[in-house]
Amino acid sequence: NAGVTQTPKFQVLKTGQSMTLQCAQDMNHNSMYWYRQDPGMGLRLIYYSASEGTTDKGEVPNGYNVSRLNKREFSLRLESAAPSQTSVYFCASSERRGLEQFFGPGTRLTVL
Amino acid sequence: KNEVEQSPQNLTAQEGEFITINCSYSVGISALHWLQQHPGGGIVSLFMLSSGKKKHGRLIATINIQEKHSSLHITASHPRDSAVYICAVWRETSGSRLTFGEGTQLTVNP
């Protein structure tokens, strides 16, 4: 089993460009999450999907959109990237809310 | 003040030492996670606990719900234990949101 996979691993964007971060899990988990990690801030939740077909805002949703494409896949879209979105992005999944989360390897995004 | 506070922020130890990392939180929780972030960036779940104590190999995690405090202990530390250790809590009223501490950077020297 691959666990949680993310693509791409690295990305550089110019201000105003758009992109989609992809996440997939093969553990048949119901819940999936997108986090960003910034120095001195800890991990912060951007959006989550408690189950297939549902998505909800987390702590820092502004500037992002998500799609829970099916049970396996949960994508994060930046419509118009800003330098403040420079960060490391982690996708995670859990069997259901409140249980142990499994993390992907992360995407390091730089917005110039 | 952060809802989840970890101490120390940085810790340097010699190989073989017993290590303790502390986590204090100020909100009601249903469970607490300990996570390890490797130097390459990957995050691994170590423990999830809601009461008492759990042990896995050289790692031990304890939680005191009344005192709102958890500790992560590493016995016989090794350089490969060098990583950032992160405490996170499931708040009772947050629905699906984990609240994370900022992490403790551990360096174990040979």
Side-chain angles (χ1 to χ4, degrees):
Chain A
N1 287 351
V4 181
T5 57
Q6 290 182 236
T7 55
K9 287 197 167 83
F10 301 94
Q11 184 71 50
V12 178
L13 293 177
K14 293 182 180 174
T15 297
Q17 287 185 317
S18 62
M19 79 160 296
T20 300
L21 281 65
Q22 306 285 355
C23 173
Q25 51 90 10
D26 62 2
M27 295 174 282
N28 202 35
H29 284 170
N30 290 301
S31 300
M32 297 185 74
Y33 313 83
W34 275 106
Y35 295 97
R36 59 179 289 173
Q37 186 178 39
D38 302 293
M41 300 287 291
L43 285 150
R44 292 181 293 168
L45 182 66
I46 305 170
Y47 270 93
Y48 67 95
S49 171
S51 60
E52 187 180 355
T54 69
T55 60
D56 284 287
K57 294 178 181 178
E59 189 181 352
V60 287
N62 291 345
Y64 305 95
N65 285 301
V66 290
S67 296
R68 183 75 183 265
L69 304 167
N70 48 55
K71 193 170 186 180
R72 288 187 64 248
E73 297 172 290
F74 188 38
S75 63
L76 179 73
R77 182 159 178 85
L78 287 70
E79 289 291 352
S80 179
S84 60
Q85 294 178 304
T86 293
S87 188
V88 181
Y89 291 85
F90 288 96
C91 177
S93 71
S94 62
E95 191 175 332
R96 61 177 189 275
R97 287 184 296 175
L99 295 185
E100 184 180 15
Q101 293 191 8
F102 296 83
F103 286 78
T107 295
R108 188 172 295 273
L109 175 67
T110 301
V111 183
L112 302 175
Chain B
K1 190 176 173 4
N2 291 339
E3 292 174 340
V4 180
E5 297 271 355
Q6 289 186 234
S7 63
Q9 282 190 306
N10 294 283
L11 180 57
T12 300
Q14 289 301 119
E15 185 172 355
E17 285 184 359
F18 181 84
I19 287 161
T20 296
I21 298 170
N22 296 298
C23 176
S24 296
Y25 51 91
S26 57
V27 294
I29 71 168
S30 56
L32 182 143
H33 261 287
W34 280 103
L35 304 158
Q36 180 192 54
Q37 186 166 25
H38 300 294
I43 298 173
V44 175
S45 175
L46 297 174
F47 296 103
M48 186 166 140
L49 64 168
S50 54
S51 64
K53 178 178 169 178
K54 286 192 176 181
K55 185 175 189 293
H56 185 252
R58 295 179 295 105
L59 300 177
I60 303 165
T62 63
I63 189 168
N64 185 317
I65 295 290
Q66 286 74 30
E67 293 186 6
K68 294 193 163 112
H69 182 268
S70 176
S71 293
L72 177 68
H73 304 287
I74 304 175
T75 62
S77 60
H78 190 275
R80 65 174 174 265
D81 297 325
S82 298
V84 176
Y85 292 84
I86 301 169
C87 170
V89 300
W90 281 108
R91 296 166 64 191
E92 284 175 333
T93 56
S94 75
S96 294
R97 185 153 74 91
L98 273 174
T99 301
F100 294 83
E102 291 185 23
T104 294
Q105 173 69 62
L106 171 65
T107 302
V108 181
N109 293 318

